[in-house]
Amino acid sequence: LDIALSGTRALSRKMSAESANSETQPVVSFCGADSIFSNFAPTPIEVDGITWPTTEHFFQGQKFGSAEYCTAIREADSPGTAKQMGAARRDDF
């Protein structure tokens, strides 16, 4: 299995001098489609030479043995659509 990430956005956060010097660090949100940690984040991945638009597309596509349906999920116009397609049909996942 060969996996490569592309287009990863840099995680940066400006911290005030006060918070940088304090004992506690600010909490970074992991929620929401805009989070770089979301399955819906627009961060393509390449697995075995095939590029998937998001990790959600990849995850949903792995539920099926059918190459045609897997391709349809990979080509879905949004991660939400890929999720709906994956929920609509579960082979042996």
Side-chain angles (χ1 to χ4, degrees), residues 64-88:
F64 307 98
S66 165
E68 294 85 19
Y69 201 70
C70 186
T71 298
I73 290 174
R74 183 171 46 82
E75 294 174 350
D77 63 350
S78 72
T81 300
K83 184 175 183 177
Q84 289 174 343
M85 293 171 73

Side-chain angles (χ1 to χ4, degrees), residues 30-51:
F30 296 101
C31 301
D34 292 331
S35 168
I36 64 167
F37 301 107
S38 167
N39 283 358
F40 282 47
T43 305
I45 64 168
E46 184 179 308
V47 180
D48 294 335
I50 299 171
T51 301

Side-chain angles (χ1 to χ4, degrees), residues 12-22 24-28:
S12 64
R13 184 178 189 101
K14 291 185 179 180
M15 296 171 50
S16 69
E18 180 180 304
S19 66
N21 293 327
S22 70
T24 60
Q25 296 296 315
V27 175
V28 177

